[in-house]
Amino acid sequence: MKMTFQKLVIGASMAIGVSALATAPAHATSFSFNNSNEIKTYTGGSNGKFIANDTVAASKALSDANPSSNVELWYSDENPTSNVGFTATEGNYSATVSSVTANDWNSFGSQWLGDLLNTYTPFKTVWNGFSASTQSLVASYFPLLGMGDPNIGSFQFGQNGGVELTLVGHLDVKTKLSDTLSTKLKDAWNGVGTTPGVKLLFPLIKTDLPTTLEVQTQISTLQLTFNSPLTPASKKAALSTQIAQLTSFKDVLSLQATLKTYQGEIGASEIAKVVTGGKTSYAYSFNPTASGITASDDGISYSAYYTWNTPLYIPPTPPLKSVPEPSVMLGLLGVAGVFATQRKFKKASI
C-alpha cells in the first residue's frame, strides 16, 4: 500500500510537470498565398530543385533556417502586372509581401533611385548632369530592370511586430543594368531622325550606335541652324524636338559608358512590396552578402543575400535553454523525499 501511494505521488508530480510543458504557449508563423500559380520554390544550395505552385514547399522555404532556399513571387516573367505574394500571420501580427508592378514604381521609384545614387556616387555626378527630360526617360526604364519579381529567402516577425526579410539575388547586377540600357538605347536610336524637316549628319541605319562625340556634333549643328535668323519658325519647332531627343540619347550613352568603366561591383537586390501595420514599404538593399552558392540551373543566380527590415525592428528573443517546470522540480523533490523516507524506514527496521 505504501509503495502504491509513493508511485501515485511520483506519477502525479511528473504528470503535472509534463502537462505544464505541453500547455506552454507556442507561436508559429503561418503563410497563405494569393496566387499559387505564380510562385516557385527553390529548395536551397547549389544542388537545389525548383518546385512550382506548391504552397507547402514555399512555406517551408520561408521559415526554415536555410537562407538559400527561397520563394520567387511572380515567376512567369520579370515584369509583374499584379501583386502576387503571401500574407504571414503570427499571433496578432500580420504582414503581406508581394511582387512589384509598374504602378508601384511610380510610388517609390524616386526613393529607390536616390538610395542607389547615394550608394554608388560615381553615377550621381552623371545623373545630376542630365536634363529633366532625360531623367524622366531613364526613370521610365526602372520597371524594365526585372527587379520586381523578388526571391524571398526568409521571413520573420520581430518582438514588436516588425518584419525582416532576406532577399536572395545577384552579387553584381552591373551586366543586367548594362543590358537594359543597351536595349533601350537601340530602341531610341531607331527613333532618331524621324522628325520631319531635320537632316542628320550621320546615316540613320548603322550596325553600331553612334559615339557620344558624333551625337554632340549633330546637336551642335542643329543648334546653329536653330539659332540662325534665316530659319523659319515652323522649322525651329522640328529642330527643337530633334535636339531634345538627341540630347537625351547622348545622356544615356554617357550613363552606359560610365557603367561599363565602373570597376566595382553593383549590388542591388530585387524589390518586394511589404504591407504591415497599415503601412506600405518597399523592401530592397544595396548591401549584399556573398552567399557562396549559385543556383543549380544557371550557375549565376542566388550568389548574394540582402537583408531588409522595417524601421525600429527588434529581433525575436532567442529560445531559452530547456529548464524544468516548477511542478517537475517539485515532482523530482517528491521522488527524492520518498526514497529518503524509504531509506530511513529501512534503517529503523534494522
Side-chain angles (χ1 to χ4, degrees):
M1 188 70 175
K2 289 181 181 178
M3 289 304 294
T4 301
F5 174 74
Q6 291 166 6
K7 289 178 180 178
L8 286 172
V9 172
I10 295 171
S13 299
M14 295 302 290
I16 292 171
V18 171
S19 175
L21 287 171
T23 58
H27 296 290
T29 304
S30 62
F31 300 93
S32 62
F33 296 81
N34 67 356
N35 186 349
S36 61
N37 292 327
E38 279 290 352
I39 64 167
K40 196 174 196 178
T41 303
Y42 186 70
T43 57
S46 291
N47 297 313
K49 296 180 180 179
F50 291 92
I51 305 173
N53 321 128
D54 188 325
T55 58
V56 174
S59 297
K60 181 180 178 181
L62 291 170
S63 57
D64 63 17
N66 178 8
S68 67
S69 63
N70 63 83
V71 180
E72 184 174 9
L73 308 178
W74 189 277
Y75 78 88
S76 58
D77 57 46
E78 293 189 333
N79 300 300
T81 57
S82 65
N83 299 116
V84 168
F86 60 86
T87 296
T89 306
E90 182 181 304
N92 294 325
Y93 301 144
S94 178
T96 298
V97 180
S98 64
S99 54
V100 172
T101 67
N103 285 336
D104 291 321
W105 275 103
N106 293 333
S107 300
F108 80 98
S110 58
Q111 170 194 320
W112 179 86
L113 175 66
D115 291 342
L116 173 71
L117 296 176
N118 287 332
T119 304
Y120 301 102
T121 52
F123 301 100
K124 192 171 187 176
T125 302
V126 178
W127 179 263
N128 290 339
F130 288 170
S131 64
S133 60
T134 301
Q135 291 181 349
S136 177
L137 175 65
V138 175
S140 71
Y141 300 164
F142 294 164
L144 305 175
L145 294 176
M147 303 175 78
D149 55 335
N151 293 75
I152 313 298
S154 67
F155 174 97
Q156 69 175 5
F157 286 106
Q159 294 182 46
N160 56 352
V163 167
E164 182 175 79
L165 300 178
T166 300
L167 300 160
V168 184
H170 294 255
L171 192 61
D172 186 1
V173 297
K174 185 165 54 181
T175 299
K176 190 172 188 177
L177 294 174
S178 182
D179 289 346
T180 300
L181 281 179
S182 294
T183 299
K184 299 309 295 180
L185 279 167
K186 288 176 181 177
D187 291 343
W189 175 232
N190 290 333
V192 168
T194 58
T195 305
V198 178
K199 183 179 180 181
L200 297 180
L201 297 177
F202 42 77
L204 296 182
I205 301 176
K206 295 178 64 174
T207 302
D208 299 321
L209 295 174
T211 65
T212 304
L213 179 60
E214 286 177 317
V215 178
Q216 183 56 56
T217 301
Q218 176 68 70
I219 292 172
S220 299
T221 301
L222 294 179
Q223 285 175 332
L224 286 173
T225 306
F226 178 85
N227 294 326
S228 171
L230 301 176
T231 303
S234 58
K235 188 173 182 179
K236 284 192 174 185
L239 287 168
S240 178
T241 299
Q242 189 68 83
I243 289 170
Q245 186 181 32
L246 285 170
T247 299
S248 290
F249 184 75
K250 176 180 69 72
D251 288 344
V252 179
L253 275 176
S254 67
L255 177 60
Q256 186 191 48
T258 303
L259 190 62
K260 286 183 176 180
T261 57
Y262 185 71
Q263 296 300 311
E265 294 177 337
I266 298 179
S269 74
E270 293 174 319
I271 305 158
K273 184 177 183 178
V274 180
V275 181
T276 183
K279 296 181 179 180
T280 299
S281 304
Y282 291 91
Y284 60 85
S285 170
F286 301 107
N287 184 26
T289 298
S291 67
I293 68 162
T294 54
S296 59
D297 60 343
D298 62 8
I300 300 174
S301 303
Y302 310 160
S303 56
Y305 303 139
Y306 296 83
T307 301
W308 176 90
N309 49 54
T310 53
L312 305 179
Y313 169 80
I314 301 175
T317 303
L320 298 174
K321 292 182 179 179
S322 179
V323 177
E325 292 288 327
S327 55
V328 176
M329 293 301 295
L330 290 173
L332 293 176
L333 289 173
V335 173
V338 168
F339 282 116
T341 302
Q342 185 181 23
R343 184 178 178 187
K344 288 181 180 179
F345 285 156
K346 285 182 178 180
K347 286 183 177 180
S349 62
I350 293 174

